[in-house]
Amino acid sequence: MQEVEVKILNVNRPKVEEELLRLGGRKVFDGNIETFFFDFKNGSIAKAKGVLRLRQEGSQIVLTFKRIISTQGAKVAEEHSVEVSDIDEMKKIFQLLGLSVKESNQKQRISYQIDNVHFDFDRYEGEYNYLPEFMEIEAEDLETIHKYAKLLGFKPEDCLPWSTSDLIKHYADKNRFEKS
């Protein structure tokens, strides 16, 4: 499956949620997410522009592998996911295969859906709690993303093709600049 998504910074969530509801959106998730990213010691998954992620979203546990295809206009990735029943056993299996946790994070997420378009509001906790809340829009193509971004009051240039790492780097650099 192909994933096409953008991040939009500096969102006024209550205002955007109101507009999503007016457009016929429905809330599909409101809860905590804990995510673990795995790789081999030599970083071969990351070097191949891949991501191996194990995520607990509410009571659901999902294992996902993605490979970034493009970051032109949107982050486009080939994505394959499967639900697993036991997060701790999955971690043990990865360790036995020589994989280890390279990164982990926790966040609060509120998700809406209109047709096949997903809108996620994320607020990181813990180590990344300095990141302001942001929104992701995921759809089948960039044209659909821009259509809904415009309906929500955003411009195409507000739609960033960023990964979570890009987001962290942006705010880390901004904080470093403001402190100097």
Side-chain angles (χ1 to χ4, degrees), residues 39-101:
D39 205 338
F40 293 100
K41 215 175 252 187
N42 66 3
S44 60
I45 295 174
K47 287 175 187 170
K49 296 186 179 186
V51 175
L52 183 60
R53 177 183 76 200
L54 184 61
R55 172 184 280 173
Q56 180 150 6
E57 188 169 328
S59 61
Q60 185 180 37
I61 302 163
V62 177
L63 173 62
T64 300
F65 177 79
K66 7 173 139 180
R67 185 177 319 278
I68 305 302
I69 299 169
S70 171
T71 55
Q72 299 299 322
K75 183 178 82 171
V76 181
E78 174 188 355
E79 181 176 283
H80 302 279
S81 296
V82 64
E83 194 167 343
V84 297
S85 60
D86 189 319
I87 196 166
D88 292 324
E89 281 301 308
M90 196 70 239
K91 286 180 187 177
K92 286 177 190 171
I93 290 168
F94 282 156
Q95 288 170 346
L96 291 168
L97 291 170
L99 293 150
S100 61
V101 175

Side-chain angles (χ1 to χ4, degrees), residues 84-132:
V84 297
S85 60
D86 189 319
I87 196 166
D88 292 324
E89 281 301 308
M90 196 70 239
K91 286 180 187 177
K92 286 177 190 171
I93 290 168
F94 282 156
Q95 288 170 346
L96 291 168
L97 291 170
L99 293 150
S100 61
V101 175
K102 297 299 182 182
E103 178 75 34
S104 66
N105 60 55
Q106 301 81 36
K107 62 185 168 186
Q108 291 278 328
R109 173 172 279 179
I110 300 172
S111 300
Y112 288 84
Q113 187 168 339
I114 299 175
D115 299 323
N116 290 328
V117 183
H118 301 272
F119 305 85
D120 296 323
F121 297 93
D122 286 343
R123 179 80 175 113
Y124 281 89
E125 300 172 337
E127 180 182 359
Y128 301 118
N129 68 351
Y130 63 90
L131 298 172

Side-chain angles (χ1 to χ4, degrees), residues 137-150:
I137 303 176
E138 181 179 337
E140 61 189 33
D141 55 49
L142 187 56
E143 185 178 309
T144 303
I145 289 171
H146 284 169
K147 170 188 156 188
Y148 279 97
K150 184 176 181 181

Side-chain angles (χ1 to χ4, degrees), residues 5-55:
E5 72 177 27
V6 300
K7 288 179 174 44
I8 299 178
L9 311 182
N10 305 316
V11 296
N12 177 336
R13 182 173 45 84
K15 182 180 174 192
V16 175
E17 282 180 306
E18 187 177 296
E19 192 61 24
L20 284 169
L21 292 170
R22 192 186 70 70
L23 292 168
R26 61 186 174 86
K27 189 184 279 189
V28 293
F29 182 78
D30 186 348
N32 298 316
I33 296 179
E34 185 169 24
T35 305
F36 301 91
F37 298 93
F38 291 84
D39 205 338
F40 293 100
K41 215 175 252 187
N42 66 3
S44 60
I45 295 174
K47 287 175 187 170
K49 296 186 179 186
V51 175
L52 183 60
R53 177 183 76 200
L54 184 61
R55 172 184 280 173

